[in-house]
Amino acid sequence: GAVVSQHPSRVICKSGTSVKIECRSLDFQATTMFWYRQFPKQSLMLMATSNEGSKATYEQGVEKDKFLINHASLTLSTLTVTSAHPEDSSFYICSATNLDRDGYTFGSGTRLTVV
Amino acid sequence: SQKIEQNSEALNIQEGKTATLTCNYTNYSPAYLQWYRQDPGRGPVFLLLIRENEKEKRKERLKVTFDTTLKQSLFHITASQPADSATYLCALDPYGNNRLAFGKGNQVVVIP
């Protein structure tokens, strides 16, 4: 139990375009999901907290107009990187917590490369 | 400033030995601390959670200790196997609002 599915696993896009990443909780409902970014050899950095039915909460320094988050249902959150630039190239990971379990369940991550 | 520190050098260890990793934190008073395993190109996988009132937690070959006075957690892998080779991350919830902060991780390489 407690599986989080993330798609796509890899995406290459052109500079200036937008990319959508999906995060689904498959066997539990997640009122809250989290989006992280990880650069090589660095720690996971929390970008935002996605709340079902309400606006996301962004961490300091994260542009909410650039990283659009939608959490329209109890099992799906999406992150859209708008007007992507090469510096947005990174590993994006979502997570959710199932209140019946300790710990957080993470998706398998999305490797975004902006060319 | 608030920090979560893990050893940046990879730990190379012979199969069958015990690997011990350290996580130190400053300026936090977390109610619990978590350990995750991360393989290259994958998301972290939850391993263990230890609460502030627990000194030690075990799960199969894994053991975690938590010293809130020293602000330190130790993570042990006993009878290590090559399949244990991965990066291990410690994480805590600094403000008690489910927003996890992570260390950079410590790579373990188990040599057959």
Side-chain angles (χ1 to χ4, degrees), chain B residues 48-62:
Chain B
L48 280 165
L49 179 150
I50 187 164
R51 302 185 189 280
E52 61 180 342
N53 61 348
E54 297 175 313
K55 286 284 196 304
E56 181 180 297
K57 201 82 168 276
R58 290 175 186 261
K59 178 183 175 183
E60 298 172 356
R61 293 184 295 107
L62 306 179

Side-chain angles (χ1 to χ4, degrees), chain A residues 34 38 43 59 102 104 106-107, chain B residues 36 38 43-44 51 98-99 103:
Chain A
F34 303 90
Q38 186 178 33
S43 62
E59 297 299 308
D102 286 337
Y104 291 63
F106 283 79
Chain B
Y36 289 81
Q38 186 175 25
R51 302 185 189 280
N98 298 320
R99 290 158 55 210

Side-chain angles (χ1 to χ4, degrees), chain A residues 26-103:
Chain A
L26 295 187
D27 51 1
F28 66 102
Q29 294 183 332
T31 54
T32 303
M33 292 186 178
F34 303 90
W35 287 96
Y36 292 83
R37 182 167 51 183
Q38 186 178 33
F39 292 104
K41 304 289 186 186
Q42 298 298 311
S43 62
L44 278 76
M45 295 300 295
L46 180 64
M47 299 175 65
T49 303
S50 172
N51 304 297
E52 187 267 335
S54 65
K55 290 183 179 180
T57 305
Y58 290 82
E59 297 299 308
Q60 192 172 9
V62 177
E63 300 174 57
K64 61 180 181 181
D65 294 331
K66 181 168 185 62
F67 298 99
L68 301 180
I69 291 172
N70 184 281
H71 194 153
S73 78
L74 286 171
T75 59
L76 174 65
S77 175
T78 60
L79 168 69
T80 301
V81 183
T82 63
S83 186
H85 291 285
E87 56 265 32
D88 298 324
S89 298
S90 188
F91 191 53
Y92 293 86
I93 316 172
C94 68
S95 77
T97 180
N98 183 338
L99 294 178
D100 292 335
R101 299 164 62 96
D102 286 337

